[in-house]
PDB file of all heavy atoms in Angstrom:
ATOM      1  N   HIS A 145       2.717  18.651 -55.182  1.00  0.00           N
ATOM      2  CA  HIS A 145       1.645  17.653 -55.149  1.00  0.00           C
ATOM      3  C   HIS A 145       0.460  18.165 -54.337  1.00  0.00           C
ATOM      4  O   HIS A 145       0.603  18.499 -53.159  1.00  0.00           O
ATOM      5  CB  HIS A 145       2.161  16.345 -54.551  1.00  0.00           C
ATOM      6  CG  HIS A 145       1.359  15.159 -54.983  1.00  0.00           C
ATOM      7  ND1 HIS A 145       0.099  14.912 -54.490  1.00  0.00           N
ATOM      8  CD2 HIS A 145       1.609  14.173 -55.884  1.00  0.00           C
ATOM      9  CE1 HIS A 145      -0.378  13.818 -55.042  1.00  0.00           C
ATOM     10  NE2 HIS A 145       0.519  13.351 -55.895  1.00  0.00           N
ATOM     11  N   PRO A 146      -0.735  18.224 -54.943  1.00  0.00           N
ATOM     12  CA  PRO A 146      -1.895  18.807 -54.251  1.00  0.00           C
ATOM     13  C   PRO A 146      -2.339  18.045 -53.015  1.00  0.00           C
ATOM     14  O   PRO A 146      -3.027  18.600 -52.166  1.00  0.00           O
ATOM     15  CB  PRO A 146      -2.990  18.796 -55.329  1.00  0.00           C
ATOM     16  CG  PRO A 146      -2.550  17.770 -56.318  1.00  0.00           C
ATOM     17  CD  PRO A 146      -1.050  17.816 -56.318  1.00  0.00           C
ATOM     18  N   SER A 147      -1.952  16.770 -52.878  1.00  0.00           N
ATOM     19  CA  SER A 147      -2.367  16.017 -51.696  1.00  0.00           C
ATOM     20  C   SER A 147      -1.770  16.584 -50.416  1.00  0.00           C
ATOM     21  O   SER A 147      -2.284  16.353 -49.325  1.00  0.00           O
ATOM     22  CB  SER A 147      -1.968  14.541 -51.846  1.00  0.00           C
ATOM     23  OG  SER A 147      -0.565  14.398 -51.870  1.00  0.00           O
ATOM     24  N   PHE A 148      -0.674  17.360 -50.536  1.00  0.00           N
ATOM     25  CA  PHE A 148      -0.068  17.960 -49.358  1.00  0.00           C
ATOM     26  C   PHE A 148      -0.728  19.280 -48.980  1.00  0.00           C
ATOM     27  O   PHE A 148      -0.411  19.867 -47.950  1.00  0.00           O
ATOM     28  CB  PHE A 148       1.436  18.163 -49.572  1.00  0.00           C
ATOM     29  CG  PHE A 148       2.205  16.862 -49.619  1.00  0.00           C
ATOM     30  CD1 PHE A 148       2.660  16.365 -50.824  1.00  0.00           C
ATOM     31  CD2 PHE A 148       2.462  16.149 -48.465  1.00  0.00           C
ATOM     32  CE1 PHE A 148       3.369  15.168 -50.879  1.00  0.00           C
ATOM     33  CE2 PHE A 148       3.160  14.952 -48.508  1.00  0.00           C
ATOM     34  CZ  PHE A 148       3.619  14.463 -49.723  1.00  0.00           C
ATOM     35  N   GLY A 149      -1.616  19.788 -49.830  1.00  0.00           N
ATOM     36  CA  GLY A 149      -2.418  20.945 -49.470  1.00  0.00           C
ATOM     37  C   GLY A 149      -1.698  22.274 -49.420  1.00  0.00           C
ATOM     38  O   GLY A 149      -2.119  23.174 -48.692  1.00  0.00           O
ATOM     39  N   VAL A 150      -0.623  22.428 -50.177  1.00  0.00           N
ATOM     40  CA  VAL A 150       0.071  23.717 -50.211  1.00  0.00           C
ATOM     41  C   VAL A 150      -0.777  24.693 -51.022  1.00  0.00           C
ATOM     42  O   VAL A 150      -1.113  24.434 -52.175  1.00  0.00           O
ATOM     43  CB  VAL A 150       1.470  23.589 -50.834  1.00  0.00           C
ATOM     44  CG1 VAL A 150       2.166  24.942 -50.873  1.00  0.00           C
ATOM     45  CG2 VAL A 150       2.306  22.592 -50.036  1.00  0.00           C
ATOM     46  N   THR A 151      -1.129  25.821 -50.430  1.00  0.00           N
ATOM     47  CA  THR A 151      -2.056  26.736 -51.074  1.00  0.00           C
ATOM     48  C   THR A 151      -1.348  27.727 -51.997  1.00  0.00           C
ATOM     49  O   THR A 151      -0.186  28.069 -51.796  1.00  0.00           O
ATOM     50  CB  THR A 151      -2.874  27.526 -50.037  1.00  0.00           C
ATOM     51  OG1 THR A 151      -1.975  28.216 -49.155  1.00  0.00           O
ATOM     52  CG2 THR A 151      -3.760  26.604 -49.225  1.00  0.00           C
ATOM     53  N   LYS A 152      -2.093  28.166 -53.004  1.00  0.00           N
ATOM     54  CA  LYS A 152      -1.638  29.202 -53.927  1.00  0.00           C
ATOM     55  C   LYS A 152      -2.704  30.285 -53.965  1.00  0.00           C
ATOM     56  O   LYS A 152      -3.896  29.987 -53.935  1.00  0.00           O
ATOM     57  CB  LYS A 152      -1.422  28.645 -55.341  1.00  0.00           C
ATOM     58  CG  LYS A 152      -0.408  27.516 -55.447  1.00  0.00           C
ATOM     59  CD  LYS A 152      -1.076  26.187 -55.477  1.00  0.00           C
ATOM     60  CE  LYS A 152      -0.064  25.074 -55.752  1.00  0.00           C
ATOM     61  NZ  LYS A 152      -0.686  23.737 -55.647  1.00  0.00           N
ATOM     62  N   VAL A 153      -2.257  31.517 -54.031  1.00  0.00           N
ATOM     63  CA  VAL A 153      -3.180  32.657 -54.067  1.00  0.00           C
ATOM     64  C   VAL A 153      -3.031  33.355 -55.413  1.00  0.00           C
ATOM     65  O   VAL A 153      -1.926  33.725 -55.817  1.00  0.00           O
ATOM     66  CB  VAL A 153      -2.909  33.645 -52.920  1.00  0.00           C
ATOM     67  CG1 VAL A 153      -3.869  34.834 -53.003  1.00  0.00           C
ATOM     68  CG2 VAL A 153      -3.045  32.945 -51.566  1.00  0.00           C
ATOM     69  N   TYR A 154      -4.158  33.546 -56.096  1.00  0.00           N
ATOM     70  CA  TYR A 154      -4.187  34.177 -57.406  1.00  0.00           C
ATOM     71  C   TYR A 154      -5.041  35.441 -57.361  1.00  0.00           C
ATOM     72  O   TYR A 154      -6.048  35.492 -56.636  1.00  0.00           O
ATOM     73  CB  TYR A 154      -4.807  33.243 -58.447  1.00  0.00           C
ATOM     74  CG  TYR A 154      -4.092  31.937 -58.630  1.00  0.00           C
ATOM     75  CD1 TYR A 154      -4.352  30.848 -57.792  1.00  0.00           C
ATOM     76  CD2 TYR A 154      -3.161  31.771 -59.648  1.00  0.00           C
ATOM     77  CE1 TYR A 154      -3.701  29.636 -57.966  1.00  0.00           C
ATOM     78  CE2 TYR A 154      -2.507  30.557 -59.827  1.00  0.00           C
ATOM     79  CZ  TYR A 154      -2.780  29.503 -58.986  1.00  0.00           C
ATOM     80  OH  TYR A 154      -2.130  28.305 -59.146  1.00  0.00           O
ATOM     81  N   VAL A 155      -4.645  36.431 -58.155  1.00  0.00           N
ATOM     82  CA  VAL A 155      -5.487  37.597 -58.388  1.00  0.00           C
ATOM     83  C   VAL A 155      -5.893  37.548 -59.848  1.00  0.00           C
ATOM     84  O   VAL A 155      -5.038  37.492 -60.743  1.00  0.00           O
ATOM     85  CB  VAL A 155      -4.753  38.908 -58.068  1.00  0.00           C
ATOM     86  CG1 VAL A 155      -5.599  40.111 -58.482  1.00  0.00           C
ATOM     87  CG2 VAL A 155      -4.441  38.991 -56.574  1.00  0.00           C
ATOM     88  N   ALA A 156      -7.209  37.543 -60.080  1.00  0.00           N
ATOM     89  CA  ALA A 156      -7.733  37.393 -61.429  1.00  0.00           C
ATOM     90  C   ALA A 156      -8.569  38.605 -61.821  1.00  0.00           C
ATOM     91  O   ALA A 156      -9.434  39.046 -61.048  1.00  0.00           O
ATOM     92  CB  ALA A 156      -8.583  36.129 -61.530  1.00  0.00           C
ATOM     93  N   LYS A 157      -8.317  39.127 -62.994  1.00  0.00           N
ATOM     94  CA  LYS A 157      -9.203  40.114 -63.599  1.00  0.00           C
ATOM     95  C   LYS A 157     -10.122  39.355 -64.536  1.00  0.00           C
ATOM     96  O   LYS A 157      -9.652  38.631 -65.425  1.00  0.00           O
ATOM     97  CB  LYS A 157      -8.414  41.168 -64.376  1.00  0.00           C
ATOM     98  CG  LYS A 157      -9.311  42.235 -64.990  1.00  0.00           C
ATOM     99  CD  LYS A 157      -8.507  43.254 -65.790  1.00  0.00           C
ATOM    100  CE  LYS A 157      -9.440  44.301 -66.396  1.00  0.00           C
ATOM    101  NZ  LYS A 157      -8.706  45.285 -67.235  1.00  0.00           N
ATOM    102  N   VAL A 158     -11.420  39.493 -64.324  1.00  0.00           N
ATOM    103  CA  VAL A 158     -12.382  38.695 -65.087  1.00  0.00           C
ATOM    104  C   VAL A 158     -13.415  39.590 -65.746  1.00  0.00           C
ATOM    105  O   VAL A 158     -13.607  40.750 -65.356  1.00  0.00           O
ATOM    106  CB  VAL A 158     -13.086  37.661 -64.175  1.00  0.00           C
ATOM    107  CG1 VAL A 158     -12.079  36.735 -63.517  1.00  0.00           C
ATOM    108  CG2 VAL A 158     -13.947  38.359 -63.115  1.00  0.00           C
ATOM    109  N   GLU A 159     -14.088  39.028 -66.725  1.00  0.00           N
ATOM    110  CA  GLU A 159     -15.158  39.751 -67.403  1.00  0.00           C
ATOM    111  C   GLU A 159     -16.395  39.813 -66.521  1.00  0.00           C
ATOM    112  O   GLU A 159     -16.679  38.884 -65.755  1.00  0.00           O
ATOM    113  CB  GLU A 159     -15.510  39.047 -68.713  1.00  0.00           C
ATOM    114  CG  GLU A 159     -14.400  39.035 -69.747  1.00  0.00           C
ATOM    115  CD  GLU A 159     -14.811  38.310 -71.013  1.00  0.00           C
ATOM    116  OE1 GLU A 159     -16.015  37.991 -71.151  1.00  0.00           O
ATOM    117  OE2 GLU A 159     -13.940  38.050 -71.848  1.00  0.00           O
ATOM    118  N   GLY A 160     -17.134  40.901 -66.630  1.00  0.00           N
ATOM    119  CA  GLY A 160     -18.417  41.014 -65.945  1.00  0.00           C
ATOM    120  C   GLY A 160     -18.306  41.433 -64.496  1.00  0.00           C
ATOM    121  O   GLY A 160     -17.201  41.563 -63.932  1.00  0.00           O
TER     122      GLY A 160
END
Side-chain angles (χ1 to χ4, degrees):
H145 204 286
S147 65
F148 291 105
V150 179
T151 56
K152 301 98 173 174
V153 179
Y154 300 84
V155 173
K157 181 181 180 182
V158 302
E159 295 179 10

